PDB file of all heavy atoms in Angstrom:
ATOM      1  N   ARG A 136      16.076  -9.261 -18.034  1.00 89.00           N
ATOM      2  CA  ARG A 136      14.848  -9.907 -18.036  1.00 89.00           C
ATOM      3  C   ARG A 136      14.513 -10.376 -16.608  1.00 89.00           C
ATOM      4  O   ARG A 136      13.456 -10.214 -16.176  1.00 89.00           O
ATOM      5  CB  ARG A 136      14.919 -10.978 -19.092  1.00 89.00           C
ATOM      6  CG  ARG A 136      13.480 -11.827 -19.127  1.00 89.00           C
ATOM      7  CD  ARG A 136      13.547 -12.906 -20.253  1.00 89.00           C
ATOM      8  NE  ARG A 136      14.631 -13.881 -20.058  1.00 89.00           N
ATOM      9  CZ  ARG A 136      15.729 -14.056 -20.804  1.00 89.00           C
ATOM     10  NH1 ARG A 136      15.728 -13.281 -21.806  1.00 89.00           N
ATOM     11  NH2 ARG A 136      16.544 -15.016 -20.565  1.00 89.00           N
ATOM     12  N   LYS A 137      15.544 -10.929 -15.962  1.00 90.00           N
ATOM     13  CA  LYS A 137      15.272 -11.505 -14.625  1.00 90.00           C
ATOM     14  C   LYS A 137      14.941 -10.282 -13.698  1.00 90.00           C
ATOM     15  O   LYS A 137      13.853 -10.500 -12.960  1.00 90.00           O
ATOM     16  CB  LYS A 137      16.605 -12.131 -14.102  1.00 90.00           C
ATOM     17  CG  LYS A 137      16.860 -13.500 -14.585  1.00 90.00           C
ATOM     18  CD  LYS A 137      18.026 -13.976 -13.797  1.00 90.00           C
ATOM     19  CE  LYS A 137      18.786 -15.114 -14.641  1.00 90.00           C
ATOM     20  NZ  LYS A 137      20.151 -15.474 -14.097  1.00 90.00           N
ATOM     21  N   VAL A 138      15.673  -9.347 -13.716  1.00 90.00           N
ATOM     22  CA  VAL A 138      15.399  -8.120 -12.852  1.00 90.00           C
ATOM     23  C   VAL A 138      14.037  -7.604 -13.151  1.00 90.00           C
ATOM     24  O   VAL A 138      13.142  -7.322 -12.212  1.00 90.00           O
ATOM     25  CB  VAL A 138      16.547  -7.058 -13.063  1.00 90.00           C
ATOM     26  CG1 VAL A 138      15.950  -5.801 -12.452  1.00 90.00           C
ATOM     27  CG2 VAL A 138      17.874  -7.545 -12.521  1.00 90.00           C
ATOM     28  N   PHE A 139      13.591  -7.390 -14.508  1.00 85.00           N
ATOM     29  CA  PHE A 139      12.473  -6.805 -14.893  1.00 85.00           C
ATOM     30  C   PHE A 139      11.215  -7.678 -14.423  1.00 85.00           C
ATOM     31  O   PHE A 139      10.200  -7.281 -13.833  1.00 85.00           O
ATOM     32  CB  PHE A 139      12.370  -6.568 -16.342  1.00 85.00           C
ATOM     33  CG  PHE A 139      11.136  -5.941 -16.749  1.00 85.00           C
ATOM     34  CD1 PHE A 139      11.092  -4.467 -16.761  1.00 85.00           C
ATOM     35  CD2 PHE A 139      10.165  -6.569 -17.459  1.00 85.00           C
ATOM     36  CE1 PHE A 139       9.791  -3.775 -17.181  1.00 85.00           C
ATOM     37  CE2 PHE A 139       9.003  -6.004 -17.840  1.00 85.00           C
ATOM     38  CZ  PHE A 139       8.842  -4.579 -17.696  1.00 85.00           C
ATOM     39  N   LEU A 140      11.372  -8.919 -14.565  1.00 85.00           N
ATOM     40  CA  LEU A 140      10.274  -9.928 -14.303  1.00 85.00           C
ATOM     41  C   LEU A 140      10.148  -9.908 -12.589  1.00 85.00           C
ATOM     42  O   LEU A 140       8.917  -9.997 -12.255  1.00 85.00           O
ATOM     43  CB  LEU A 140      10.507 -11.361 -14.718  1.00 85.00           C
ATOM     44  CG  LEU A 140      10.359 -11.485 -16.330  1.00 85.00           C
ATOM     45  CD1 LEU A 140      11.001 -12.837 -16.737  1.00 85.00           C
ATOM     46  CD2 LEU A 140       9.049 -11.284 -16.695  1.00 85.00           C
ATOM     47  N   LEU A 141      11.237 -10.067 -11.878  1.00 86.00           N
ATOM     48  CA  LEU A 141      11.084  -9.887 -10.541  1.00 86.00           C
ATOM     49  C   LEU A 141      10.435  -8.717 -10.047  1.00 86.00           C
ATOM     50  O   LEU A 141       9.754  -8.693  -9.166  1.00 86.00           O
ATOM     51  CB  LEU A 141      12.463 -10.089  -9.845  1.00 86.00           C
ATOM     52  CG  LEU A 141      13.137 -11.449  -9.922  1.00 86.00           C
ATOM     53  CD1 LEU A 141      14.549 -11.505  -9.494  1.00 86.00           C
ATOM     54  CD2 LEU A 141      12.332 -12.593  -9.336  1.00 86.00           C
ATOM     55  N   SER A 142      10.699  -7.590 -10.666  1.00 83.00           N
ATOM     56  CA  SER A 142      10.223  -6.282 -10.261  1.00 83.00           C
ATOM     57  C   SER A 142       8.657  -6.104 -10.644  1.00 83.00           C
ATOM     58  O   SER A 142       7.887  -5.803  -9.857  1.00 83.00           O
ATOM     59  CB  SER A 142      11.019  -5.093 -10.900  1.00 83.00           C
ATOM     60  OG  SER A 142      10.387  -3.871 -10.790  1.00 83.00           O
ATOM     61  N   ARG A 143       8.388  -6.385 -11.960  1.00 78.00           N
ATOM     62  CA  ARG A 143       7.079  -6.067 -12.462  1.00 78.00           C
ATOM     63  C   ARG A 143       6.207  -7.241 -12.232  1.00 78.00           C
ATOM     64  O   ARG A 143       4.844  -6.892 -12.196  1.00 78.00           O
ATOM     65  CB  ARG A 143       7.139  -5.661 -13.844  1.00 78.00           C
ATOM     66  CG  ARG A 143       7.917  -4.321 -14.193  1.00 78.00           C
ATOM     67  CD  ARG A 143       7.396  -3.231 -13.272  1.00 78.00           C
ATOM     68  NE  ARG A 143       7.851  -1.878 -13.546  1.00 78.00           N
ATOM     69  CZ  ARG A 143       8.670  -1.254 -12.856  1.00 78.00           C
ATOM     70  NH1 ARG A 143       9.379  -1.746 -11.849  1.00 78.00           N
ATOM     71  NH2 ARG A 143       9.036  -0.064 -13.201  1.00 78.00           N
ATOM     72  N   TYR A 144       6.576  -8.396 -12.240  1.00 75.00           N
ATOM     73  CA  TYR A 144       5.588  -9.582 -12.192  1.00 75.00           C
ATOM     74  C   TYR A 144       5.481 -10.062 -10.868  1.00 75.00           C
ATOM     75  O   TYR A 144       4.550 -10.770 -10.558  1.00 75.00           O
ATOM     76  CB  TYR A 144       5.876 -10.636 -13.303  1.00 75.00           C
ATOM     77  CG  TYR A 144       5.480 -10.181 -14.753  1.00 75.00           C
ATOM     78  CD1 TYR A 144       6.387  -9.380 -15.431  1.00 75.00           C
ATOM     79  CD2 TYR A 144       4.348 -10.588 -15.223  1.00 75.00           C
ATOM     80  CE1 TYR A 144       6.020  -8.980 -16.716  1.00 75.00           C
ATOM     81  CE2 TYR A 144       3.996 -10.217 -16.484  1.00 75.00           C
ATOM     82  CZ  TYR A 144       4.771  -9.384 -17.239  1.00 75.00           C
ATOM     83  OH  TYR A 144       4.559  -8.951 -18.419  1.00 75.00           O
ATOM     84  N   ARG A 145       6.573 -10.102 -10.129  1.00 77.00           N
ATOM     85  CA  ARG A 145       6.658 -10.548  -8.652  1.00 77.00           C
ATOM     86  C   ARG A 145       6.397  -9.631  -7.695  1.00 77.00           C
ATOM     87  O   ARG A 145       6.314  -9.697  -6.451  1.00 77.00           O
ATOM     88  CB  ARG A 145       7.950 -11.357  -8.447  1.00 77.00           C
ATOM     89  CG  ARG A 145       8.109 -12.699  -9.152  1.00 77.00           C
ATOM     90  CD  ARG A 145       8.138 -13.833  -8.312  1.00 77.00           C
ATOM     91  NE  ARG A 145       8.137 -15.077  -8.870  1.00 77.00           N
ATOM     92  CZ  ARG A 145       9.187 -15.828  -8.784  1.00 77.00           C
ATOM     93  NH1 ARG A 145      10.248 -15.546  -8.051  1.00 77.00           N
ATOM     94  NH2 ARG A 145       9.291 -17.012  -9.573  1.00 77.00           N
ATOM     95  N   GLY A 146       6.549  -8.309  -8.161  1.00 79.00           N
ATOM     96  CA  GLY A 146       6.354  -7.090  -7.171  1.00 79.00           C
ATOM     97  C   GLY A 146       7.474  -7.004  -6.189  1.00 79.00           C
ATOM     98  O   GLY A 146       7.369  -6.340  -5.163  1.00 79.00           O
ATOM     99  N   MET A 147       8.720  -7.461  -6.483  1.00 82.00           N
ATOM    100  CA  MET A 147       9.721  -7.447  -5.445  1.00 82.00           C
ATOM    101  C   MET A 147      10.413  -6.059  -5.521  1.00 82.00           C
ATOM    102  O   MET A 147      10.500  -5.363  -6.481  1.00 82.00           O
ATOM    103  CB  MET A 147      10.838  -8.454  -5.801  1.00 82.00           C
ATOM    104  CG  MET A 147      10.460  -9.817  -5.506  1.00 82.00           C
ATOM    105  SD  MET A 147      11.645 -11.123  -5.949  1.00 82.00           S
ATOM    106  CE  MET A 147      12.864 -10.717  -4.798  1.00 82.00           C
ATOM    107  N   SER A 148      10.872  -5.504  -4.396  1.00 86.00           N
ATOM    108  CA  SER A 148      11.496  -4.266  -4.308  1.00 86.00           C
ATOM    109  C   SER A 148      12.921  -4.490  -4.977  1.00 86.00           C
ATOM    110  O   SER A 148      13.467  -5.445  -5.117  1.00 86.00           O
ATOM    111  CB  SER A 148      11.755  -3.947  -2.740  1.00 86.00           C
ATOM    112  OG  SER A 148      12.663  -4.651  -2.245  1.00 86.00           O
ATOM    113  N   ASN A 149      13.530  -3.252  -5.302  1.00 88.00           N
ATOM    114  CA  ASN A 149      14.798  -3.230  -5.880  1.00 88.00           C
ATOM    115  C   ASN A 149      15.829  -3.873  -4.918  1.00 88.00           C
ATOM    116  O   ASN A 149      16.823  -4.510  -5.430  1.00 88.00           O
ATOM    117  CB  ASN A 149      15.287  -1.874  -6.414  1.00 88.00           C
ATOM    118  CG  ASN A 149      14.358  -1.374  -7.599  1.00 88.00           C
ATOM    119  OD1 ASN A 149      13.409  -2.084  -8.017  1.00 88.00           O
ATOM    120  ND2 ASN A 149      14.630  -0.184  -7.927  1.00 88.00           N
ATOM    121  N   LYS A 150      15.729  -3.528  -3.664  1.00 90.00           N
ATOM    122  CA  LYS A 150      16.680  -4.077  -2.581  1.00 90.00           C
ATOM    123  C   LYS A 150      16.551  -5.603  -2.587  1.00 90.00           C
ATOM    124  O   LYS A 150      17.532  -6.135  -2.563  1.00 90.00           O
ATOM    125  CB  LYS A 150      16.383  -3.489  -1.292  1.00 90.00           C
ATOM    126  CG  LYS A 150      17.072  -3.927  -0.172  1.00 90.00           C
ATOM    127  CD  LYS A 150      18.400  -3.421  -0.017  1.00 90.00           C
ATOM    128  CE  LYS A 150      19.151  -3.782   1.358  1.00 90.00           C
ATOM    129  NZ  LYS A 150      19.926  -4.916   1.264  1.00 90.00           N
ATOM    130  N   ALA A 151      15.314  -6.111  -2.571  1.00 88.00           N
ATOM    131  CA  ALA A 151      15.156  -7.530  -2.503  1.00 88.00           C
ATOM    132  C   ALA A 151      15.750  -8.323  -3.719  1.00 88.00           C
ATOM    133  O   ALA A 151      16.390  -9.305  -3.659  1.00 88.00           O
ATOM    134  CB  ALA A 151      13.690  -7.941  -2.326  1.00 88.00           C
ATOM    135  N   ILE A 152      15.541  -7.586  -4.921  1.00 91.00           N
ATOM    136  CA  ILE A 152      16.023  -8.098  -6.228  1.00 91.00           C
ATOM    137  C   ILE A 152      17.665  -8.208  -6.074  1.00 91.00           C
ATOM    138  O   ILE A 152      18.285  -9.173  -6.465  1.00 91.00           O
ATOM    139  CB  ILE A 152      15.582  -7.372  -7.403  1.00 91.00           C
ATOM    140  CG1 ILE A 152      14.035  -7.549  -7.553  1.00 91.00           C
ATOM    141  CG2 ILE A 152      16.263  -7.852  -8.633  1.00 91.00           C
ATOM    142  CD1 ILE A 152      13.467  -6.589  -8.554  1.00 91.00           C
TER     143      ILE A 152
END
Side-chain angles (χ1 to χ4, degrees):
R136 182 177 55 249
K137 281 182 205 172
V138 168
F139 186 76
L140 291 172
L141 290 171
S142 171
R143 294 310 193 254
Y144 287 83
R145 290 243 179 117
M147 292 176 68
S148 70
N149 291 4
K150 170 89 170 93
I152 295 168

